[in-house]
Amino acid sequence: LIVFKGYGLKMSAETLAEKINRIISYCDVLCIEVKSAKGKMSIDQCKWSAAAVKHGCQYILARSLNDVMGALR
């Protein structure tokens, strides 16, 4: 489990996704963006999610525990 938590993570989406891909390229990766019911992803978060998927990660936007549980099935 790798958790990126924080505000204003200062690394480009592509750079971060490439590092994750190199480190854990031998296993399945599920990236979970947690938002409130009305929360919206920033432009940087959208870019990051696209880069993660491009590098073979699964990516979900979770607004509830049910969203996460559904992705794990």
Side-chain angles (χ1 to χ4, degrees), residues 28-64:
D28 291 331
V29 177
L30 172 61
C31 301
I32 304 170
E33 181 73 40
V34 179
K35 295 287 183 193
S36 67
K38 294 182 181 180
K40 297 184 183 204
M41 290 175 57
S42 69
I43 292 172
D44 286 339
Q45 288 170 330
C46 291
K47 289 178 184 177
W48 194 95
S49 67
V53 170
K54 177 183 170 186
H55 288 279
C57 299
Q58 296 178 46
Y59 188 95
I60 65 164
L61 175 61
R63 298 184 185 281
S64 70

Side-chain angles (χ1 to χ4, degrees), residues 17-29 55-57:
E18 287 173 358
K19 287 179 186 247
I20 291 171
N21 194 43
R22 277 195 304 265
I23 294 168
I24 52 178
S25 61
Y26 57 88
C27 62
D28 291 331
V29 177
H55 288 279
C57 299

